[in-house]
Amino acid sequence: MDKKMRIISIGVGLLGVAFILPCSVMGKAAGPCVDCHTMHNSQDGADLFDSPSGALTNGGCIGCHTGTNTVAGNIPYVLSSGAPTYGTNTLAGGNFYWVLTDDTTGHNVIGLEAGVNADVNLDYDPPGWNPDFNANTQVNSGNGAWATQLTCAGTYGCHGEHVKGGSTVDDFTAISGSHHGDDSTLDGSTTAKSFRFLYGIIGKEDTNWEFDSSSIDHNQYYGVHRASDTMPASGSEGAKSINYLCAECHGNFHSGAGNLGADTGVEAAAAWIRHPTDYDMNVLGAGTEYKSYGTDGTYLPIAPVATNRKTGAVVTVTVSNVFANAGDAIVNCISCHRAHGSPYADLLRWDYDTCQAGSDNGACGCFECHTTKDAG
């Protein structure tokens, strides 16, 4: 590209990045504008990009975020062109790579690749869909059934606002300006000020999206302990948790006595009719199974817990730190799943089929909370 070509900086078009954008002022887009944008999509009589999209970006959200992650990278890639090394360069949210050939391993986001359509088993409706979870603007316009494929952002996606001015919005409208906005405080008030551009959700963001995560280098997910199996109200702390983000599409998996009836015909009033979310293991007595998360209390990226702390880092090195206060060991959806995808069924962080009670399997994250079930 010669000097005649100039690129303008207009809101980088990311969206499929659940749980992976930089923190504090580091979250503002930085680096060469050409990495994502083109002014005319033309140079020396040829197209620069095969598929220019909104905000003059290279192929939209997926185009900008397709590549191989490196330790020095300034763009988080959520789709690899070749097989990524799981757990090394797949970042916190995982990778869409595997869903290209196996519907069960990731979210079937439109635009990932030509021919990637709705899930062959589930079609358009997210499992556990409940339109009542609308605290942070309304996904799918509140309709009882979905008639379109999942998108990265907007009315039918995860990132940005789902509705603006009472109208449906596309990927770019939903996150417009956010990549270059002020994110020095993540309070959920705007898309730029929300965790990973997940509107209304708060937390703390690892500066390299967990490229090299460890017990003291990781995202800090926000969670709220619920004493009952009820739906968080609009404006409540529960509606700011990472669990609520998932509940916007999978509400019946999250909470609500009786909500299970729509799926199974069973009237469910018991608290744990499904795996608990927004449950603080710290409310349990010393020496009990779940109180021994990670055996010695060390924070484990393979099965991350959430915290209700809004200020200060949870420096999770020893049991006295992880369980320093109530609210530091909250079970959440991300404890078991990757947001984008993984090599394993149901977007799980590990291969559930290899988890065997009574065996010492360090690769099975189940045993990090169910500490008495393995042989360790």
Side-chain angles (χ1 to χ4, degrees), residues 197-234:
F197 294 172
L198 302 166
Y199 182 69
I201 307 303
I202 63 174
K204 290 192 172 185
E205 302 169 334
D206 184 47
T207 54
N208 67 359
W209 312 284
E210 295 195 1
F211 180 87
D212 53 0
S213 63
S214 70
S215 63
I216 57 173
D217 182 10
H218 53 80
N219 286 330
Q220 186 167 307
Y221 299 111
Y222 183 70
V224 175
H225 173 68
R226 293 180 295 128
S228 61
D229 194 30
T230 55
M231 180 174 66
S234 178

Side-chain angles (χ1 to χ4, degrees), residues 130-139 161-162 188 199-201 231-241 244-245 247-248:
N130 184 334
D132 291 338
F133 285 79
N134 58 7
N136 299 327
T137 71
Q138 184 72 70
V139 179
E161 296 185 58
H162 308 304
Y199 182 69
I201 307 303
M231 180 174 66
S234 178
S236 68
E237 289 302 305
K240 300 175 184 177
S241 76
Y244 193 85
L245 180 277
E248 289 182 346

Side-chain angles (χ1 to χ4, degrees), residues 23 63-64 66 71 74 100 123 125 164 175 204-205 208 228 243 313 336 351 356:
C23 78
C64 287
T66 296
V71 68
N74 68 342
L100 300 180
D123 198 33
D125 283 3
K164 281 190 174 182
I175 60 123
K204 290 192 172 185
E205 302 169 334
N208 67 359
S228 61
N243 285 323
C336 300
D351 187 355
Q356 296 188 41

